[in-house]
Amino acid sequence: MSDSKVLFEVTEEHLNTGLRGFPVGTVRTSKVDPIKGVSYVGFPVAELAEMDPEAVVYLLLNKVLPTPQQLADFKADLAARATVDPRVTDFMAGLPKDGHPMEWLLAGLNLLGMTGKTGDWKEDALNCIARSSTIVANVFRLRSGWGPAIPGKPELGLVENMVHQMGVPGADADRLRELLRIFYVLHMDHGGGNLSTFAGKAVASGHADIYASLGAAMAGLYGPLHGRANQECLNFVRTVGTTDAGEIEQFVRDTLAGGGKIFGFGHAVLRAEDPRATVQYALGQKLCPDDELFQTALTMRSVAVKVLQENPKISNPYPNVDAVSGTLLNASGLTDSDYYTVLFGFSRIAGIAAQIVDERTVLRSGKGVPIYRCKYIAENQEPRSLG
Ligand code: MLT
């Protein structure tokens, strides 16, 4: 019998529960504490939120914050990697506009892989992060029909180059940049087991390249129970139709009584307000305090929690990362919520890429984690014969 510590006892009641709570590996980029929320290499996400996004990418990849010189060198390196094969944008321009923006993102990632992978995990991770600015900008600009693709200016920075290439008509570019820089940091990583990260690492364990693995991850993020919840959240806030606390409370009660869902509240791991939401509520009070949808979301922060807490079966009645994000994006000129998960994906590509590099080249003394192959208990598989 091995002398290694028993971490978790699996019983039959744990089967078919989505691996909830199963320790299956280690993660070196972030930790999710049920009460404190996520920290990146030990730094609470709220403390990192206003840092240069590239500094936090560096942190997740190298597990230390960069010195000013290291940051300058890293930014220059990412800028030098940012050139995207022109065929990628040409093919993206021809994608069907009835495809969801996340389907466009999946296509863009695989086009990057088809035109530029090296097979080296770290190289491809850095290249994909650097080139994701153009892919995400293309999704917004080309699918929205805002105009032809705008040549990149990677020297501006990951987020700034993306905003530049989006060329959002009528938007306050300065406010959009301020919001999306913080948005990028907040959404980068959330432990090792969230669905998109797990899916990306699982596919990478079979040694598919990082572009295909990140495509699998983004396919996971596309689900309305995961990343696409930020799109559903704004659509939900739009249906409330009032900023009055009493009317909002009645709306919440009526929604629950009708079997509906209060989007933006609750989480599989968290048991307190998500610090990523806390940062966004404060940001909204700075950027768009008078926006009615933001005021509705801000009122729901207390009213919905009060109502949800009345149900003892609800383990987490508190706001999560999606609760207010859409109202901030909407107030900053990105009014089509179909695109919101693409911005989540833009950010999460960095965290998942860092975790894939760890699993492929660092863990198990550099040998990497073996191909994922968990066990399923056979049901209804008694031996039979056609004879
Ligand atoms: C995330 O950031 O990935 C979401 O909060 C979902 C999760 O952590 O499972």
Side-chain angles (χ1 to χ4, degrees):
M1 175 72 177
S2 157
D3 59 2
S4 63
K5 179 184 165 191
V6 174
L7 297 176
F8 185 85
E9 279 198 338
V10 179
T11 66
E12 287 183 344
E13 69 184 28
H14 290 113
L15 300 178
N16 300 324
T17 60
L19 295 176
R20 194 64 57 84
F22 281 48
V24 295
T26 62
V27 56
R28 304 174 68 240
T29 53
S30 64
K31 174 185 176 183
V32 180
D33 179 278
I35 302 302
K36 297 175 187 173
V38 70
S39 53
Y40 295 166
V41 193
F43 296 99
V45 70
E47 290 187 27
L48 300 170
E50 299 194 10
M51 292 189 79
D52 274 349
E54 292 85 351
V56 187
V57 173
Y58 186 100
L59 173 65
L60 295 187
L61 287 168
N62 300 291
K63 310 328 184 235
V64 290
L65 282 169
T67 63
Q69 187 57 56
Q70 287 169 331
L71 179 56
D73 294 345
F74 185 58
K75 284 183 171 182
D77 181 42
L78 288 177
R81 293 172 182 272
T83 305
V84 172
D85 186 308
R87 292 173 293 171
V88 173
T89 298
D90 292 345
F91 276 111
M92 288 190 76
L95 291 173
K97 288 188 172 43
D98 33 7
H100 188 279
M102 281 301 285
E103 293 173 301
W104 279 55
L105 179 60
L106 294 179
L109 282 168
N110 281 294
L111 284 165
L112 282 181
M114 288 180 228
T115 58
K117 60 173 164 283
T118 71
D120 178 278
W121 293 107
K122 184 71 175 287
E123 279 296 298
D124 284 344
L126 289 167
N127 290 341
C128 189
I129 292 165
R131 297 167 189 173
S132 61
S133 301
T134 297
I135 296 303
V136 171
N138 283 349
V139 173
F140 275 87
R141 187 161 180 81
L142 301 178
R143 186 176 178 280
S144 302
W146 290 340
I150 297 173
K153 290 185 175 178
E155 66 279 9
L156 296 175
L158 282 174
V159 174
E160 294 82 351
N161 182 30
M162 195 267 295
V163 173
H164 164 69
Q165 289 184 269
M166 284 167 85
V168 183
D172 175 339
D174 289 338
R175 183 160 78 168
L176 200 51
R177 271 189 293 271
E178 180 178 1
L179 169 64
L180 292 183
R181 279 169 56 93
I182 293 172
F183 200 92
Y184 188 93
V185 174
L186 292 179
H187 288 80
M188 286 175 77
D189 213 40
H190 209 242
N194 66 82
L195 176 63
S196 50
T197 301
F198 182 83
K201 293 188 290 188
V203 171
S205 75
H207 287 197
D209 62 80
I210 209 161
Y211 294 97
S213 303
L214 287 168
M218 293 302 105
L221 196 70
Y222 178 29
L225 295 184
H226 189 18
R228 195 159 27 129
N230 66 0
Q231 166 183 334
E232 302 304 330
C233 264
L234 180 71
N235 298 342
F236 175 70
V237 172
R238 281 174 167 153
T239 62
V240 176
T242 176
T243 59
D244 176 82
E247 292 174 3
I248 290 174
E249 179 172 339
Q250 193 55 54
F251 180 91
V252 171
R253 292 188 185 283
D254 293 346
T255 301
L256 292 171
K261 177 178 166 65
I262 307 301
F263 286 90
F265 292 79
H267 193 277
V269 174
L270 299 174
R271 293 295 175 266
E273 181 174 286
D274 190 330
R276 300 173 295 176
T278 308
V279 170
Q280 291 179 75
Y281 284 120
L283 185 60
Q285 288 173 321
K286 175 188 173 188
L287 294 181
C288 54
D290 302 325
D291 178 81
E292 287 202 0
L293 286 176
F294 171 71
Q295 289 175 348
T296 299
L298 188 60
T299 305
M300 287 189 72
R301 180 187 192 182
S302 52
V303 168
V305 171
K306 182 183 81 170
V307 175
L308 291 168
Q309 280 177 322
E310 293 168 2
N311 181 345
K313 292 180 183 174
I314 293 178
S315 54
N316 175 0
Y318 302 106
N320 60 41
V321 66
D322 304 313
V324 69
S325 62
T327 61
L328 303 188
L329 293 168
N330 179 68
S332 301
L334 298 178
T335 55
D336 186 342
S337 61
D338 284 356
Y339 289 84
Y340 290 177
T341 311
V342 173
L343 293 170
F344 193 153
F346 175 43
S347 170
R348 189 54 59 89
I349 280 169
I352 299 172
Q355 290 201 38
I356 288 175
V357 170
D358 280 346
E359 283 215 349
R360 299 294 101 229
T361 69
V362 176
L363 294 185
R364 295 169 67 88
S365 306
K367 289 186 296 187
V369 174
I371 186 169
Y372 284 27
R373 180 55 172 99
C374 54
K375 175 175 182 174
Y376 277 75
I377 308 295
E379 273 187 14
N380 184 31
Q381 299 302 314
E382 291 71 26
R384 297 176 173 84
S385 168
L386 290 174

